[in-house]
Amino acid sequence: MKDEFEFIESITPRQTDQASLVKGIGDDAAVYRGSDEYDEVICVDTMVEGVHFRRDTLTPFQIGKKALAINVSDLAAMGAQPIYYIVSVAASADWKQEELEDVYKGMFDLAQEYKMDLIGGDTVSTPDTLVLTVTVIGRVERNRAVYRHTAKPGDVVFITGYAGRSAAGLDLLFEKGVNGSFSLEEQKLVKAHQEPQPHVKAGRILCQTGVRVSLNDVSDGVASEANELAEASNVRIHIDARHIPIDEAMSSYSREQQLEYVFFGGEDFVLIGTVKEEDFSKVEEFFKEEGLFITKIGHVLSGEGVYLKEENQLTRLEKKGYNHFQKRG
Ligand code: ADP
Ligand code: MG
């Protein structure tokens, strides 16, 4: 298989039978009717040892916490409140029971923040690696799920936090090893990689404002996620380089390196989305009231593609974040 997106397209059913289905393949999570009050939101993500993590960059506790966080982030990108999780563990013999228990402690640590319950799973063995598959279930007020396909020309593009930190942290871990000596700034970046915080509260606010919002979470870098928004909504996106927030922990990096991490890094799990220009100040007010961050980084136009605007120059940003069947870069 060469391209993950092409593969998904090829296996997507042309037709579905269940009348309760609201949104199937094509967004961060699927949505179907639950009760009169709520729609159910569900998604699954897998973390594979040697592909998504290595034992020398994450502790078992962090592996568990991150496996749940990446799933919860997809719920956040739908505006949903997480409620349940189900875990399949496929482990090789060299994983000790205590280590696997620590993986679960990591998941529990994050689950507690949202009062999520572990309600099932599966346990099997593999020849050599740990494969952790987590399904999460959430809910959102009926008809209020937030999608990727609702951006319109005239919208502003926003982001709910700093992107690029996780990729910078991973490079530091590769460079110095997990027990290396890190400055305070570097520790912050390493932590952003090891224990990312999903933006559930931000997703909930965006869902509850009642204004039209489009939304995606940043798992594969801002370039890839902005392209997903643009493609799903059939619009063009301009991102203004001057407005991209950069964590001061990255201030010693060159401008080029900062932008490389922001656009082509990944695993930051902040949210990127769009809202009508005149609604932005209202949304910003809600975020301020909750002590949360949101900032404008661009505009939506008609057309297609994602472009970076820098000193009146436009550069196309390709959808080349971390795609599992293509080399990065
Ligand atoms: P995300 O990065 O938000 O987790 P993905 O890019 O992994 O989303 O997936 C995009 C869409 O394709 C989602 O709706 C997901 O459920 C669906 N999808 C991905 N892989 C498969 C698969 N193997 N079979 C069916 N649907 C899939
Ligand atoms: Mg996602």
Side-chain angles (χ1 to χ4, degrees), residues 28 73-74 77 148 216-217 219 225 228:
D28 292 292
S73 175
D74 278 324
R148 294 177 186 172
N216 198 1
D217 71 322
S219 48
E225 311 300 346
E228 285 183 357

Side-chain angles (χ1 to χ4, degrees), residues 8-226:
I8 296 169
E9 174 69 28
S10 77
I11 53 87
T12 301
R14 300 290 154 232
Q15 190 190 322
T16 53
D17 288 325
Q18 296 294 327
S20 58
L21 185 63
V22 179
K23 177 80 192 172
I25 292 175
D27 217 294
D28 292 292
V31 182
Y32 57 92
R33 293 270 177 254
S35 62
D36 286 348
E37 213 179 333
Y38 292 107
D39 287 337
E40 307 278 326
V41 185
I42 184 165
C43 63
V44 62
D45 250 311
T46 304
M47 270 177 65
V48 180
E49 183 177 356
V51 179
H52 302 94
F53 66 88
R54 297 195 335 206
R55 288 170 88 162
D56 59 353
T57 54
L58 297 183
T59 63
F61 180 93
Q62 289 168 335
I63 291 166
K65 192 166 181 180
K66 192 160 177 175
L68 186 61
I70 64 183
N71 274 285
V72 166
S73 175
D74 278 324
L75 294 182
M78 305 301 290
Q81 182 66 39
I83 50 178
Y84 297 120
Y85 63 114
I86 301 171
V87 182
S88 154
V89 176
S92 55
D94 61 333
W95 279 84
K96 297 194 197 79
Q97 179 167 334
E98 301 81 67
E99 290 173 322
L100 292 173
E101 284 170 5
D102 278 346
V103 169
Y104 274 75
K105 282 183 193 152
M107 288 191 271
F108 183 70
D109 191 60
L110 186 75
Q112 268 190 315
E113 281 184 40
Y114 307 110
K115 299 191 164 38
M116 294 176 87
D117 290 323
L118 173 66
I119 56 165
D122 194 21
T123 310
V124 294
S125 63
T126 58
D128 44 21
T129 54
L130 177 68
V131 179
L132 205 55
T133 305
V134 180
T135 300
V136 289
I137 299 172
R139 66 180 160 221
V140 63
E141 293 74 11
R142 193 178 159 109
N143 285 328
R144 295 294 278 277
V146 187
Y147 300 103
R148 294 177 186 172
H149 64 261
T150 48
K152 293 211 160 73
D155 285 1
V156 294
V157 180
F158 62 76
I159 195 160
T160 64
Y162 297 113
R165 299 193 304 183
S166 173
L170 180 61
D171 277 349
L172 286 168
L173 282 166
F174 284 157
E175 192 186 307
K176 301 191 181 188
V178 77
N179 295 318
S181 116
F182 297 107
S183 67
L184 282 176
E185 285 79 20
E186 290 171 340
Q187 283 172 32
K188 200 170 164 193
L189 301 173
V190 166
K191 179 103 177 162
H193 175 75
Q194 293 177 322
E195 298 186 37
Q197 187 67 39
H199 284 199
V200 172
K201 187 99 203 197
R204 294 294 294 147
I205 294 174
L206 288 162
C207 152
Q208 288 168 336
T209 49
V211 300
R212 177 180 52 76
V213 176
S214 73
L215 205 55
N216 198 1
D217 71 322
V218 181
S219 48
D220 296 332
V222 167
S224 180
E225 311 300 346

